[in-house]
Amino acid sequence: MGTGKPTRRAVLVVGGVALLAGYWGDRSAGSAGSAGGAGSAGGAGSAGGAGSAGGAGSAGGAGSAGGAPLMPAPTAAPAPSASSQSAVIPGTQPPASVSPPAHPTRSAGPPSRTDPPSRAQLTRSRPRGRRGGVEPPMRQIHDGRNVIALTIDDGPSPQYTPQVLRLLDKYKVTATFSMIGWEVAAHPGLVREVAAAGHTIANHTWSHLDLAYLPPAPIADQINRANGALHQATGQVPTLFRAPYGAWSPAVLQLCAQEGMTPLGWSVDPRDWSRPGVASIVSNIMRNTRTGSIILEHDGGGDRSQTLAALKIVLPRLIAAGYRFAVP
């Protein structure tokens, strides 16, 4: 009895192993049969006992060589986390980075309108030709070959206008002075001096506002107040109007037509008001002036010493080049 229990236990263990080996052998025999029967050979030898159980295992290896699974199909693995997706497994190629779209999406919002459009944009947006009596701004004169016009803006100035008058008289040049209403009201005697010298006077608004962004009522006020000051100083109402900054709008042109005034533009702008230097002013005028040009200069609105010095150079040069001066 003392040795019977271990013997029975051994038999039970060996029997159990044999049963398990037979079970797995049967499964692998069915699946590996298509691979050439290697698995079934292991299953047949499993009846030999524990040693054949190892044979059954080798049969399973033969079955796996055929591509058939030896274990039930695994369940689906959970989706990898973002950190695991970014990791690169050794021996594999890193995932290709996502390239940006070929044409990025543009902003759907409207462009910023905090800044006013440039003067060039305003010029191009104006109507061409006459429409219902409305004239576009005059940018050229048509008085014959080599005839040009000189216009002088933002005065009258007690400091610079008398000097400009003396210079014009020296070279027998007639010009057009675009005058600001409140300067006219402050210096009416100087206005009369300009008119007496044979120069033309144009309306340049009352206070030099940018009219392009104003409604008709304040535009009319700017024009009419300046006309009143000029009439009081000279006894005449001007027939020319120049918009400050060259900023024209349909409302400005319509009011010019109603008042019987010709809108006066320019074609040569040396930007003397910005004081770029005497040489810059002179070279700009000489480079851009041709028959019919209307030249823009300033005698008011600030320090005009560079303008005066440039005129002393450019006037005799233009005359020597064969140009003659007229008024629009």
Side-chain angles (χ1 to χ4, degrees):
M1 294 297 291
T3 58
K5 290 182 179 179
T7 302
R8 285 195 297 271
R9 289 194 187 110
V11 171
L12 290 174
V13 170
V14 170
V17 170
L19 287 173
L20 287 173
Y23 171 76
W24 289 114
D26 289 343
R27 287 177 56 87
S28 61
S31 11
S34 62
S40 62
S46 64
S52 65
S58 64
S64 63
L70 301 181
M71 297 294 289
T75 58
S81 63
S83 59
S84 64
Q85 287 179 333
S86 61
V88 178
I89 301 173
T92 64
Q93 294 293 329
S97 60
V98 179
S99 59
H103 301 286
T105 304
R106 294 181 179 179
S107 172
S112 173
R113 295 301 299 272
T114 56
D115 295 328
S118 67
R119 301 304 171 209
Q121 290 174 326
L122 291 170
T123 299
R124 288 193 294 270
S125 68
R126 291 197 292 273
R128 302 288 184 183
R130 296 171 179 263
R131 292 185 180 180
V134 176
E135 299 180 54
M138 179 192 301
R139 300 191 180 279
Q140 300 281 329
I141 63 172
H142 304 281
D143 287 350
R145 182 175 176 81
N146 288 344
V147 177
I148 59 177
L150 175 64
T151 61
I152 302 171
D153 286 19
D154 294 354
S157 161
Q159 182 176 1
Y160 294 106
T161 303
Q163 298 182 69
V164 172
L165 287 175
R166 288 193 293 270
L167 187 62
L168 296 177
D169 182 63
K170 177 180 179 179
Y171 291 103
K172 306 306 177 189
V173 172
T174 303
T176 300
F177 287 77
S178 302
M179 295 189 175
I180 298 174
W182 63 16
E183 298 288 1
V184 170
H187 311 288
L190 193 51
V191 179
R192 287 188 288 270
E193 189 176 339
V194 171
H199 303 291
T200 299
I201 298 176
N203 183 324
H204 199 36
T205 72
W206 174 256
S207 58
H208 207 272
L209 296 181
D210 188 337
L211 305 182
Y213 304 99
L214 295 180
I219 295 173
D221 181 68
Q222 284 283 313
I223 294 174
N224 292 334
R225 290 181 71 185
N227 275 346
L230 287 166
H231 181 266
Q232 187 173 359
T234 65
Q236 297 181 356
V237 175
T239 59
L240 295 173
F241 174 78
R242 172 167 280 171
Y245 315 107
W248 303 95
S249 71
V252 173
L253 296 174
Q254 183 63 46
L255 284 167
C256 285
Q258 291 176 6
E259 297 296 328
M261 294 189 294
T262 299
L264 179 61
W266 61 78
S267 55
V268 179
D269 180 8
R271 295 176 63 85
D272 63 308
W273 56 268
S274 65
R275 291 179 284 174
V278 174
S280 174
I281 298 171
V282 171
S283 64
N284 188 304
I285 293 174
M286 297 305 300
R287 183 175 64 253
N288 295 304
T289 298
R290 53 189 52 85
T291 295
S293 291
I294 299 177
I295 302 170
L296 171 64
E297 294 278 64
H298 296 79
D299 64 340
D303 181 356
R304 301 298 171 231
S305 58
Q306 289 186 10
T307 301
L308 188 64
L311 285 174
K312 291 177 181 179
I313 299 171
V314 81
L315 288 180
R317 286 190 184 180
L318 289 171
I319 293 171
Y323 289 105
R324 295 176 292 115
F325 290 85
V327 294

